[in-house]
Amino acid sequence: LHTAPASGATCVFPVAVVTGGNRGIGYHVAHQLRVCGMDVIIACRDPVRGQEAAERLGAIYMQLDLSSADSIDDFVRRFKKQFKRLDVLVNNAAISFKAEDPMPIELRAGPTLRINFWGTVRLTDALLPLMRKTAAMDGSPRLVNVSSSAGRLRQLSSELQEQFSAPDLDRDRLFHLVSKFQVDVSNGRHLAEGWGESSYAFSKLALTAYTRIVAREEAETMRANACCPGECSTETTSFTGPRAPGAGARCVVKLALLLDDAPTGEFWQDERVSCW
């Protein structure tokens, strides 16, 4: 990674965290951010694949399991001890059950939301103070949440769409809605209550809604956006996606490098603002 010049003068480079940066789209995001001159931390569960990816990219690996609150808290403690700034946070890590997996939604919802929403929110909220500190040091922090076109509002009833898209939606209300989805799924009432049929799609919808809240809260300190990288050829899609993961990563990286007057709180697809 970057080091200070031999003269001893301070040399500060942007620092980026990419969750799930050991493979697929996340790996290519990490690679492209390294090419842009950032010091990149690859945060993922698998220490072997994480370390291998970090070595290939000239990055740093730090273990993080988004399904574990203890792991998230430990990651944040270690990160803050080692780094004094955070310029870019890319929340890329997520799980998705295969279409052919026979597990019913009642069993999928908990694990999916634990990582894709609750764990991601816990990590982000814990790192936001450091991003604010970076902004105060003349930095320009960027939060990029990797969502999906599957997470559009149309999966919900019109009443629920209005609630999730409300401009004054706050954290308490969002968390209540996500919890209600989980309860309704466990009771087999999710369709009757206006929810969709996919826990993955809902987790990405909830993540986009959270992104909009953070963008509103942090309007003076950072740009926060969600995006769909497209259906890429990765392990998640069993390598059937039509888009190369490097191409999908470009939208994510574009949001990580946005200018200060660029849009915030938006959903992006194909490198432009799209309809959520």
Side-chain angles (χ1 to χ4, degrees):
L1 291 181
H2 295 112
T3 56
S7 64
T10 301
C11 188
V12 178
F13 292 89
V15 175
V17 169
V18 181
T19 67
N22 59 307
R23 62 186 179 94
I25 296 168
Y27 177 84
H28 287 273
V29 170
H31 169 66
Q32 292 175 29
L33 292 177
R34 285 290 291 138
V35 171
C36 291
M38 294 191 183
D39 287 340
V40 175
I41 291 78
I42 290 176
C44 66
R45 287 182 295 185
D46 188 334
V48 174
R49 298 181 69 172
Q51 188 61 46
E52 288 176 349
E55 290 176 0
R56 286 196 300 270
L57 296 176
I60 290 176
Y61 166 68
M62 295 180 69
Q63 190 167 28
L64 170 66
D65 180 356
L66 285 172
S67 69
S68 165
D70 289 341
S71 177
I72 294 169
D73 296 346
D74 180 62
F75 172 87
V76 172
R77 282 193 296 269
R78 287 182 289 118
F79 182 84
K80 288 183 176 179
K81 183 177 181 180
Q82 187 169 350
F83 299 94
K84 303 307 177 186
R85 64 185 297 124
L86 176 57
D87 298 87
V88 174
L89 172 58
V90 177
N91 286 314
N92 164 76
I95 63 168
S96 175
F97 290 88
K98 302 290 186 181
E100 62 272 16
D101 193 314
M103 184 181 294
I105 186 174
E106 293 83 3
L107 299 180
R108 295 186 185 196
T112 300
L113 285 163
R114 186 176 304 118
I115 292 174
N116 298 7
F117 182 74
W118 297 114
T120 298
V121 168
R122 186 183 186 93
L123 174 69
T124 304
D125 284 352
L127 290 174
L128 281 175
L130 186 56
M131 299 179 78
R132 296 186 196 111
K133 180 180 177 182
T134 301
M137 296 188 295
D138 295 326
S140 298
R142 300 289 178 260
L143 169 65
V144 185
N145 287 328
V146 179
S147 185
S148 170
S149 59
R152 295 190 189 277
L153 287 166
R154 62 191 178 204
Q155 67 183 277
L156 305 176
S157 67
S158 57
E159 179 182 349
L160 286 171
Q161 288 185 37
E162 290 181 5
Q163 294 185 56
F164 275 93
S165 61
D168 59 349
L169 178 70
D170 59 22
R171 289 164 177 268
D172 289 343
R173 182 58 183 163
L174 174 60
F175 296 167
H176 170 77
L177 287 167
V178 175
S179 297
K180 186 177 187 305
F181 169 80
Q182 292 186 256
V183 171
D184 288 342
V185 166
S186 65
N187 292 333
R189 289 191 48 78
H190 53 288
L191 297 181
E193 293 294 326
W195 307 106
E197 299 186 62
S198 168
S199 57
Y200 173 80
F202 177 73
S203 74
K204 292 302 186 179
L205 182 150
L207 182 62
T208 299
Y210 168 73
T211 308
R212 288 159 54 92
I213 292 172
V214 174
R216 190 172 70 244
E217 294 174 342
E218 306 292 340
E220 301 302 317
T221 57
M222 68 187 72
R223 305 287 92 181
N225 288 281
C227 72
C228 171
E231 189 179 358
C232 297
S233 178
T234 64
E235 289 183 29
T236 301
T237 63
S238 300
F239 301 100
T240 61
R243 179 175 293 184
R250 284 201 295 267
C251 185
V252 181
V253 173
K254 176 175 181 174
L255 299 184
L257 303 176
L258 285 178
L259 298 176
D260 289 343
D261 61 352
T264 188
E266 299 287 357
F267 175 77
W268 295 65
Q269 188 170 11
D270 295 326
E271 300 183 47
R272 60 181 181 268
V273 174
S274 181
C275 176
W276 178 38

